[in-house]
Amino acid sequence: MTTIDSSAVPADPEIAAERRALADARTALRRMRETVDATELLFGDAAKDKVTDAALRRGRERRLAALADIPGAPLYFGRMDFEPGTVFLDDVPDDRSPHGPADEPDRIHIGRRHVHDGHGRPVVLDWRAPISVAYYQASPADRMAVRVRRRYGFGTVVGEDGEPESVLTAFEDEDLMAGARAPEASPGSQLLDSEIERPRTGPMRDIVATIQPEQDVLVRAPLETTLCVQGAPGTGKTAVGLHRIAFLLYSERERLSRYGVAIVGPNRSFLSYIQDVLPALGEVDVHQTTVNELLTRDLPERSRPAQGWVRRTETPEAARTKGSAVMAEVLRRDLWSHLRTPQEAVVVRQGARRYRLYPEDLRPLLDELSERGVAYGSGRELLSHRMAHAVLSLMEAEGQVCDDRTHTRVRRDPAVRAAVTALWPKADPLRLVLGLLTDPERLARAADGLLSPEEQRTLLLPGNPRGPKSARWSEEDLALVDEAAALIERVPGLGHVVVDEAQDLSPMQCRAIGRRAGSGSLTVLGDVAQGTSPSAARSWSTLLEHLGKPTGHLHALNRGYRVPAQIIDFAARLLPSIAPGLGAPVAVRRSPGALRLLPAEGDVVAGVAEACRDALTGEGSVGLIAADHQLTGLREALEAAGVDAPLLGEAGMDGARLVAVPASLAKGLEFDAVVVAEPAAIAEAEERGVNRLYVVLTRAVSSLYVVHARPLPDALG
């Protein structure tokens, strides 16, 4: 393996040649974009309409966005030299074949997107293309026809326009022809290690250049497969989910474009952190949402409270009860109890004749529909059809000729419509849930045999709301409203959904997400050890059942590439108490001095300030994490001590290296250095506070400072 650094050999001809190739690739990409931008939208007379025009323009805008260059991200990151004749491109003329002389290897560059020159010849092949599998999977034991795998090292300089530009500074060749080696004898990649460990500031970056073989297998799983990835901190489970979306949009774009793709994250801070990954991979048309946003997207705007939908936090007991799957049956019972037993005959006039449907004629119609499992809202329409058919049978028995027009006329008869409204009342999901959770007697009837009286009392909404707009809804209430809405009308589905931090979903939230992927597939990401909600999952098999995907494939990622062993081993001391039976993650690297335990001797603020200053002497981002109730006072004290720590998500934090993060929002985030203030306070702040502490302690990828005036929790002592 040979490593050449341009800082040591500034005139190296190979580096110069590679830089020219990279410049040519960027020129080709720019030409591709200019070609699309210059395309005129021409329509024939038959196609000239606003809908067609808007659709074509949207398509061109998406294509332009996908072809946008990102100066700070290398256009390609690797190269493969194949056996001569391996790479065969049928659509490339012989005089422009990628093959050199017969004994020269076939050579391709691997990058974030496909780029071709003005003649259609590939300059960069997309990392998602089938042939690119060899870049991630080839080994001396199975070369996959690869002779040499080359990785590139890049630096960043400021261009003439003031924007950062990536500059190729080094390359590293791995000779796969040297024969099979034992894994422990493999030399490893210095450039790969340095890229994995590179300090990060700002949002998450893609890992397309550093995908590991076990991650690549998951990324390329077929669309029909629902994956559940149990991933310890630093194993790249979030990156796997994002890159799987990019891969599926490449391999199944036509299918997914019809139904859509969504990423469901735990909160907006997390979604902001990952927002740049897919655009960097050329995918700009993926919906990113939180669970609450997903559940409230289709609720009527006129019913939205002025302060927003979520205005209340449930007690742990109420959250568990409202989030339990048994609530689906409670809601179903309450909804279908609205059906009324026929008491009077329905009289339909047709000309001079009258036709009567007596109660004994109507009861079988209601029973048949209610037992079929149809959506409640569809049942009203079906009941009118059944009643019209029954009347037509009476008319035909008297010798009248009936057709579709007769059926429609009878179905719309005022008597039939009035009977449908009386027997099968309309239902609104918001008002249904509001009525159920404000009427103890009604709730007792629906929950009889399912919930105890004590559990029923925890469900009732506080106050006396007069309507959905004045109610103080909680996150758990929204899942109930979504369940009620699905019982009334079927919800539209998506082609694929990625759910991150899924271990915190309640069974009712799982049902809501699963309905949207009922005919599609899921990528479920999480770590049961990081479950902090009252309804957090303890078993992936149970969670998959609630998602409606009991046959989903469970895979474990336990090799941590980013978090040093000292940090992960320290945090793993909590695992026996928070996730019994779950194996401890294995870190692939050690970093001397990564863990620093700093007793504060009564003055936490001074200790935190000193730790923050020390962390800022290094490179990359710094996160200050404390219990939610302590963070405001801590920030004020730090500001007085001359340490400015803007709050995560607030205005003015852009560009700040040090950010203050409430412990409740730390999940899924990553910082080069983390300063944890008073771990005992984090552990005591909530019912599953020790799980929250495990999350907090595993956010650092370089250095972890643990500042404490109180004794550490016993497991960490």
Side-chain angles (χ1 to χ4, degrees):
M1 183 175 298
T2 303
T3 302
I4 300 176
D5 192 326
S6 63
S7 63
V9 189
D12 181 83
E14 190 74 9
I15 291 288
E18 289 287 5
R19 286 180 176 177
R20 287 194 299 271
L22 182 57
D24 291 343
R26 288 199 182 280
T27 300
L29 178 63
R30 184 167 58 253
R31 185 183 299 112
M32 290 170 62
R33 195 173 193 277
E34 290 172 351
T35 300
V36 174
D37 194 30
T39 302
E40 295 184 10
L41 298 179
L42 301 177
F43 310 93
D45 293 338
K48 184 62 177 176
D49 63 81
K50 291 182 178 180
V51 175
T52 303
D53 182 68
L56 290 175
R57 292 188 186 281
R58 283 196 303 270
R60 183 168 68 173
E61 289 170 0
R62 285 195 295 269
R63 179 63 177 158
L64 286 172
L67 289 173
D69 195 3
I70 303 176
L75 192 55
Y76 60 73
F77 48 82
R79 194 185 81 185
M80 287 187 291
D81 293 356
F82 285 90
E83 299 284 1
T86 301
V87 182
F88 184 75
L89 304 173
D90 291 325
D91 56 346
V92 178
D94 292 339
D95 61 344
R96 287 183 281 107
S97 171
H99 315 311
D103 59 344
E104 287 289 321
D106 290 349
R107 181 168 291 165
I108 61 173
H109 285 94
I110 306 297
R112 287 169 169 78
R113 65 196 71 188
H114 175 86
V115 181
H116 58 257
D117 62 17
H119 301 289
R121 174 179 174 173
V123 176
V124 180
L125 290 185
D126 197 298
W127 66 276
R128 298 167 289 188
I131 196 171
S132 301
V133 174
Y135 183 78
Y136 301 103
Q137 297 285 345
S139 66
D142 182 8
R143 294 190 299 111
M144 303 174 74
V146 178
R147 286 183 170 184
V148 177
R149 173 167 46 212
R150 172 171 288 188
R151 293 185 173 91
Y152 298 105
F154 292 87
T156 302
V157 298
V158 178
E160 296 179 358
D161 57 358
E163 295 295 324
E165 295 181 2
S166 60
V167 177
L168 193 150
T169 59
F171 69 85
E172 184 180 73
D173 285 343
E174 182 181 2
D175 183 5
L176 300 183
M177 300 283 288
R181 303 183 183 94
E184 62 272 11
S186 298
S189 168
Q190 297 175 14
L191 289 180
L192 185 62
D193 293 344
S194 64
E195 173 63 21
I196 291 174
E197 299 171 15
R198 180 158 59 100
R200 299 182 181 183
T201 301
M204 179 182 177
R205 300 192 306 263
D206 67 78
I207 64 163
V208 66
T210 61
I211 294 175
Q212 301 299 300
E214 68 270 24
Q215 297 170 333
D216 187 63
V217 171
L218 302 180
V219 166
R220 298 176 190 272
L223 175 60
E224 295 77 13
T225 302
T226 286
L227 284 182
C228 179
V229 181
Q230 157 64 39
T235 56
K237 58 182 177 294
T238 297
V240 165
L242 294 173
H243 288 70
R244 188 184 185 206
I245 282 187
F247 173 78
L248 292 177
L249 287 172
Y250 174 88
S251 60
E252 302 283 358
R253 191 173 301 277
E254 183 176 350
R255 291 172 61 183
L256 291 177
S257 63
R258 293 197 299 267
Y259 301 105
V261 178
I263 300 172
V264 181
N267 51 59
R268 269 286 143 195
S269 296
F270 173 82
L271 294 177
S272 297
Y273 177 62
I274 67 171
Q275 65 182 352
D276 293 341
V277 174
L278 288 172
L281 299 175
E283 301 300 342
V284 295
D285 203 17
V286 177
H287 182 55
Q288 300 186 18
T289 183
T290 65
V291 176
N292 289 343
E293 291 168 352
L294 184 70
L295 301 187
T296 58
R297 183 173 58 182
D298 298 326
L299 294 181
E301 188 66 28
R302 65 180 182 277
S303 299
R304 180 188 297 274
Q307 299 85 356
W309 286 107
V310 178
R311 302 171 56 194
R312 184 171 56 86
T313 300
E314 300 281 6
T315 65
E317 294 77 18
R320 273 190 292 273
T321 302
K322 286 188 176 181
S324 65
V326 73
M327 289 301 300
E329 176 60 18
V330 173
L331 288 167
R332 192 198 66 79
R333 287 183 182 180
D334 182 68
L335 174 63
W336 288 92
S337 70
H338 285 64
L339 299 187
R340 298 290 177 258
T341 302
Q343 301 293 334
E344 299 178 352
V346 177
V347 180
V348 178
R349 297 185 180 184
Q350 292 292 304
R353 304 297 302 270
R354 297 181 179 181
Y355 300 94
R356 286 179 172 80
L357 297 178
Y358 294 98
E360 54 268 28
D361 300 319
L362 297 172
R363 289 191 195 102
L365 303 182
L366 269 77
D367 293 342
E368 185 263 336
L369 289 175
S370 62
E371 293 171 1
R372 277 184 55 188
V374 300
Y376 183 91
S378 302
R380 288 173 49 84
E381 186 73 11
L382 291 173
L383 179 59
S384 67
H385 281 280
R386 296 291 194 279
M387 292 175 65
H389 180 74
V391 171
L392 262 63
S393 296
L394 297 176
M395 296 171 65
E396 290 171 345
E398 295 186 1
Q400 295 195 39
V401 178
C402 302
D403 56 18
D404 290 344
R405 289 176 297 177
T406 310
H407 181 94
T408 300
R409 187 169 60 250
V410 172
R411 185 168 59 84
R412 294 177 178 175
D413 187 277
V416 172
R417 295 170 62 184
V420 169
T421 299
L423 298 175
W424 202 298
K426 290 184 177 180
D428 173 77
L430 279 165
R431 294 191 175 279
L432 177 79
V433 175
L434 181 66
L436 181 66
L437 301 186
T438 55
D439 187 338
E441 294 183 0
R442 175 176 163 183
L443 177 59
R445 290 192 297 270
D448 183 38
L450 300 175
L451 299 174
S452 67
E454 292 77 12
E455 290 173 324
Q456 294 174 31
R457 281 192 289 272
T458 67
L459 299 181
L460 297 174
L461 292 176
N464 187 25
R466 289 175 292 180
K469 199 167 184 177
S470 62
R472 297 177 59 222
W473 300 105
S474 67
E475 291 185 0
E476 290 75 16
D477 293 330
L478 296 181
L480 300 182
V481 172
D482 191 79
E483 181 77 26
L487 289 170
I488 297 169
E489 298 290 347
R490 304 296 187 196
V491 298
L494 293 165
H496 192 78
V497 180
V498 172
V499 190
D500 210 339
E501 303 299 345
Q503 75 280 344
D504 277 324
L505 297 175
S506 71
M508 292 300 290
Q509 289 173 328
C510 287
R511 289 174 60 88
I513 293 172
R515 281 191 290 271
R516 289 158 173 82
S519 58
S521 57
L522 289 161
T523 300
V524 183
L525 312 168
D527 179 7
V528 293
Q530 297 185 53
T532 55
S533 73
S535 300
R538 300 183 185 274
S539 164
W540 286 117
S541 59
T542 301
L543 185 138
L544 286 171
E545 289 181 4
H546 292 312
L547 285 168
K549 306 292 183 181
T551 59
H553 296 256
L554 177 62
H555 296 266
L557 293 176
N558 57 13
R559 287 172 57 83
Y561 296 96
R562 292 279 289 167
V563 184
Q566 293 90 330
I567 296 176
I568 202 68
D569 291 347
F570 177 70
R573 298 179 189 177
L574 299 173
L575 289 178
S577 61
I578 63 176
L582 185 67
V586 178
V588 300
R589 67 187 182 95
R590 301 189 67 83
S591 178
L595 175 64
R596 309 179 191 187
L597 305 181
L598 306 173
E601 299 181 358
D603 190 356
V604 173
V605 174
V608 169
E610 182 179 354
C612 289
R613 293 190 187 100
D614 188 74
L616 288 169
T617 61
E619 294 184 274
S621 58
V622 181
L624 167 61
I625 308 179
D628 293 28
H629 67 280
Q630 291 187 336
L631 192 59
T632 300
L634 181 60
R635 290 180 61 225
E636 293 174 351
L638 287 174
E639 186 176 1
V643 178
D644 185 25
L647 187 65
L648 178 72
E650 74 176 4
M653 66 160 286
D654 291 343
R657 287 185 57 206
L658 174 62
V659 178
V661 183
S664 62
L665 296 182
K667 192 173 297 181
L669 304 183
E670 182 181 276
F671 302 91
D672 287 284
V674 168
V675 178
V676 178
E678 206 61 88
I682 297 174
E684 296 170 356
E686 55 188 306
E687 186 179 60
R688 297 181 65 121
V690 180
N691 296 70
R692 182 79 66 188
L693 179 58
Y694 178 76
V695 173
V696 169
L697 293 176
T698 54
R699 299 306 93 198
V701 298
S702 178
S703 301
L704 174 65
Y705 300 76
V706 180
V707 184
H708 62 102
R710 299 172 54 190
L712 295 173
D714 291 343
L716 299 176

